[in-house]
Amino acid sequence: MNFRLSHITSLALAALLLAAGCTEKKTTTETTATKEEVPLPKAPAFNADSAYAYTARQVAFGPRVPNSTAHVKTGDWIVRTFKSLGLSVKEQPFEAMAFDGKMLRSRNIVAQYQPQAARRIAIFTHWDTRPFADKDKTRKNAPLDGAVDGASGVGIALEMARVLAAQPDSLRPNVGIDFILFDAEDYGYDESTQSELRNQLPDADSWCLGSQYWAEHMLPAGYKPSYGILLDMVGAKNAKFSREGESRQMAADVVEKVWNMAARIGFSDFFIFRDGPALTDDHVYTNKAGVRTIDIIDTLPFGEDVFPAYHHTTQDNMSIVDRRTLKAVGQTVLQVIYGE
């Protein structure tokens, strides 16, 4: 993913910060009132140990860079795992040119829970890893494990699928769930770290190639879920999920629903009531395709840097993956699903 933010004056920034503070107070008050008036939906427990194991299993294959053996083996394993849980699985193979001219052999993966249900919710994430740790101070060209940026989102999606599939008919949610895993998301050009390279896609977005393809060739055809939730960088210790700008613009009600639910079940230290900048991520293209989508993504709430120190470095390995973060995200999203 990449970062985009319009230039604003210091006066405007001060006004935004003041507004954010007012919004935080108001939202917290509304959350308290909601807690008293509406019973908490009864959702099954999300198992953080299982999500952690799913995450570690992906990392064990090695960096999941398109065109690599580890990439093929990981994709096959994801497909087998969803099928073993009883979900209906479709693969969407495609080729896309990367910014460096390489043709990436890629595939999006769609796994449907309760495919017969008319009303549906999409859970998006990406399953590939960036081929170079270009933000790393000493190993800029090294591949990275992508334990958080890639594997954690898939780990949560697989655990959600496992939990949902284990429910008897009487305890199933009122909606169908589509787990849509994008490929070739993280093979983009970063001008701040790769200025010595030539971007061969100067007039196009070199990021999010899988979601761009999916938006133009929607699978399932004519897909119209109620909304979508994108999981990206959702496993690091002490992660902070601000309310991302594109999400607020395109699906403000879904943002409110998710963040208020997180607060109700005790995870407001992760889902913070603060407005963040707009980011270029897969949800930009799902929104363009007509699927109102929010992005749950780890960003820094203060300072000039947007992303945490592990972002696109070799630090992004299993040592920074935290079970409580996985639990916070997985349980919150399950509770939201069961509230429908």
Side-chain angles (χ1 to χ4, degrees):
M1 74 298 303
N2 201 8
F3 169 62
R4 55 185 169 87
L5 176 62
S6 301
H7 292 292
I8 55 178
T9 65
S10 58
L11 181 60
L13 179 59
L16 284 172
L17 290 174
L18 179 60
C22 295
T23 302
E24 181 174 354
K25 183 176 181 180
K26 180 180 179 182
T27 306
T28 304
T29 303
E30 290 174 352
T31 300
T32 302
T34 303
K35 185 175 181 180
E36 294 174 352
E37 296 169 5
V38 181
L40 191 69
K42 293 183 179 179
F46 180 90
N47 189 317
D49 288 332
S50 179
Y52 184 94
Y54 282 135
T55 302
R57 184 68 183 88
Q58 294 167 78
V59 173
F61 283 110
R64 282 85 61 209
V65 178
N67 298 349
S68 70
T69 300
H71 179 260
V72 173
K73 288 183 176 180
T74 305
D76 291 345
W77 173 78
I78 291 171
V79 169
R80 288 197 309 271
T81 304
F82 274 127
K83 286 183 176 180
S84 72
L85 297 172
L87 276 68
S88 174
V89 183
K90 296 182 176 69
E91 298 178 62
Q92 186 181 49
F94 66 96
E95 279 196 337
M97 190 177 92
F99 78 89
D100 57 4
K102 290 182 180 178
M103 295 302 297
L104 307 180
R105 296 185 299 275
S106 311
R107 57 175 153 169
N108 296 326
I109 299 169
V110 178
Q112 295 187 288
Y113 168 74
Q114 295 193 142
Q116 77 287 350
R119 187 174 179 225
R120 313 199 63 76
I121 294 172
I123 304 298
F124 299 110
T125 190
H126 76 89
W127 66 276
D128 62 303
T129 51
R130 187 157 177 75
F132 16 69
D134 48 305
K135 288 186 178 181
D136 202 293
K137 294 181 180 179
T138 59
R139 302 178 61 197
K140 182 175 180 178
N141 294 316
L144 55 151
D145 289 343
V148 171
D149 194 356
S152 66
V154 176
I156 289 174
L158 288 171
E159 173 57 12
M160 287 177 58
R162 188 194 68 79
V163 170
L164 290 169
Q167 301 308 304
D169 290 347
S170 60
L171 296 178
R172 292 187 173 187
N174 297 322
V175 292
I177 309 298
D178 302 299
F179 298 97
I180 301 179
L181 279 56
F182 296 128
D183 201 355
E185 186 268 358
D186 232 351
Y187 205 129
Y189 177 73
D190 187 338
E191 60 183 8
S192 68
T193 58
Q194 298 175 304
S195 58
E196 76 281 4
L197 302 178
R198 185 171 73 90
N199 178 15
Q200 298 187 39
L201 300 172
D203 300 320
D205 187 357
S206 61
W207 302 86
C208 309
L209 301 179
S211 55
Q212 289 188 60
Y213 184 87
W214 181 86
E216 295 175 359
H217 308 84
M218 194 168 284
L219 183 69
Y223 187 53
K224 293 291 182 183
S226 296
Y227 57 85
I229 298 175
L230 173 62
L231 308 177
D232 196 356
M233 297 168 58
V234 285
K237 185 177 181 180
N238 298 321
K240 293 291 180 284
F241 308 119
S242 298
R243 298 172 297 200
E244 185 270 343
E246 172 92 3
S247 307
R248 299 195 314 274
Q249 180 181 351
M250 304 302 294
D253 59 317
V254 183
V255 172
E256 181 179 10
K257 182 182 298 190
V258 172
W259 264 251
N260 284 350
M261 181 60 75
R264 289 185 66 185
I265 62 176
F267 295 122
S268 57
D269 52 333
F270 293 98
F271 290 81
I272 61 175
F273 287 101
R274 180 169 293 277
D275 293 345
L279 305 176
T280 298
D281 206 350
D282 286 320
H283 68 315
V284 170
Y285 295 99
T286 59
N287 276 312
K288 286 182 179 179
V291 179
R292 299 185 318 118
T293 310
I294 70 166
D295 193 2
I296 301 176
I297 183 170
D298 187 9
T299 55
L300 297 174
F302 304 103
E304 296 182 358
D305 292 333
V306 176
F307 296 112
Y310 65 81
H311 182 245
H312 292 176
T313 74
T314 55
Q315 296 177 47
D316 187 0
N317 53 51
M318 286 304 297
S319 70
I320 66 170
V321 177
D322 185 73
R323 288 172 174 81
R324 187 165 185 265
T325 306
L326 297 171
K327 175 72 173 182
V329 176
Q331 193 65 58
T332 295
V333 176
L334 271 180
Q335 292 284 166
V336 169
I337 288 171
Y338 270 78
E340 298 295 339

